[in-house]
Amino acid sequence: MSTILVRKRERQERILLSLDRLGFATREQLQQVHALGQKRNALKILQGMSEWLNVRRHPERDCANVYYLNKEGCRMIGSETERKYTSEVEHYLMRNDVYIHFNCPDDFVVEREVAFRVGHAEKIIKPDARFSYDDKICFLEVDRTQSMAANKKKIERYAELSPLFQEQFAYPPVIIFYTLTESRRERLYSLAEEHGVKVMVLSRYDLKTV
């Protein structure tokens, strides 16, 4: 196999692996993650992978194409997770926005539980993602259709975690909420202040995805 074909196959496998990791991604997101160049070139590359990919137009992002692995794509990389397009796809895409915003951290882990003890009780937090940035551990919460009551419970749990985290790592956890509107941003900041928790709240305007 020629060097050019080897490089092409390696790039294709990297894209398939990242889709397995991220779940769903728009053309623009894949373009940024894999440095696919201009739109025309990115489309050409993705069209050349059509035997391994499903593609759907996504209304919440101006009918942008969203890509995800089909059965053959899963088989190609040995993945056991074949996803279906549902109303939760935007949640995945918002999580990708933050992944890209923080320069695609190598240790970006999705929806993995974090257990800690408060007194004799074990507490569990399951952030939408956990990753490192500037040598600090960050916890991501995607706020799309979440009720503010549910957000309040999450912030209360982070309030319990913060002093334990501070004691172990010598800095408080970096808690990032990613939300849709300015009004929700203000409410999240208010809830965090009520519970003595420091948070960073990003909106789609900050990440220029609108």
Side-chain angles (χ1 to χ4, degrees):
M1 188 181 291
S2 72
T3 301
I4 292 174
L5 287 176
V6 168
R7 288 177 180 171
K8 179 180 178 181
R9 179 52 60 89
E10 287 176 346
R11 180 177 61 198
Q12 289 173 337
E13 289 184 356
R14 286 195 298 270
I15 292 171
L16 294 175
L17 288 167
S18 71
L19 280 172
D20 186 46
R21 182 185 190 186
L22 299 174
F24 301 84
T26 64
R27 181 268 309 162
E28 185 177 12
Q29 289 175 341
L30 291 171
Q31 196 174 335
Q32 292 176 278
V33 171
H34 294 284
L36 301 183
Q38 297 299 314
K39 177 181 178 179
R40 184 175 179 180
N41 187 60
L43 288 171
K44 181 181 178 181
I45 290 167
L46 293 170
Q47 286 166 359
M49 298 175 63
S50 59
E51 64 184 293
W52 304 304
L53 301 176
N54 289 319
V55 57
R56 289 280 297 270
R57 292 204 175 268
H58 186 62
E60 290 187 58
R61 301 215 172 194
D62 296 326
C63 290
N65 281 348
V66 168
Y67 298 86
Y68 56 108
L69 299 180
N70 62 21
K71 186 176 293 185
E72 282 302 306
C74 292
R75 186 191 62 79
M76 181 71 176
I77 59 171
S79 173
E80 298 180 356
T81 307
E82 186 181 356
R83 293 179 172 87
K84 304 296 182 184
Y85 184 96
T86 71
S87 60
E88 289 300 304
V89 166
E90 181 61 24
H91 184 93
Y92 285 81
L93 301 182
M94 288 180 68
R95 186 165 58 203
N96 295 351
D97 291 337
V98 178
Y99 173 66
I100 293 166
H101 180 72
F102 286 96
N103 301 321
C104 306
D106 291 334
D107 63 347
F108 194 86
V109 178
V110 171
E111 294 182 356
R112 186 173 297 174
E113 290 184 347
V114 177
F116 61 99
R117 299 193 72 83
V118 177
H120 297 292
E122 183 177 74
K123 305 283 186 175
I124 300 290
I125 285 179
K126 190 177 181 181
D128 287 308
R130 188 178 77 246
F131 61 96
S132 299
Y133 187 76
D134 280 348
D135 297 321
K136 292 185 177 180
I137 299 172
C138 305
F139 298 92
L140 169 65
E141 299 291 349
V142 174
D143 172 50
R144 177 174 164 257
T145 57
Q146 193 87 275
S147 70
M148 278 298 160
N151 283 328
K152 182 179 178 181
K153 287 182 179 179
K154 285 185 177 182
I155 288 171
E156 288 171 349
R157 191 59 55 88
Y158 280 115
E160 292 177 314
L161 170 64
S162 290
L164 303 173
F165 192 97
Q166 174 92 40
E167 184 178 336
Q168 182 173 347
F169 295 99
Y171 64 87
V174 180
I175 304 161
I176 302 165
F177 277 85
Y178 180 36
T179 192
L180 294 173
T181 65
E182 289 302 308
S183 60
R184 291 185 74 85
R185 186 212 297 260
E186 291 172 9
R187 184 64 183 133
L188 286 165
Y189 272 130
S190 178
L191 284 171
E193 186 176 358
E194 287 173 19
H195 291 84
V197 176
K198 186 176 180 180
V199 298
M200 175 193 305
V201 185
L202 302 172
S203 77
R204 290 181 63 178
Y205 294 95
D206 297 314
L207 274 57
K208 295 182 174 63
T209 62
V210 292

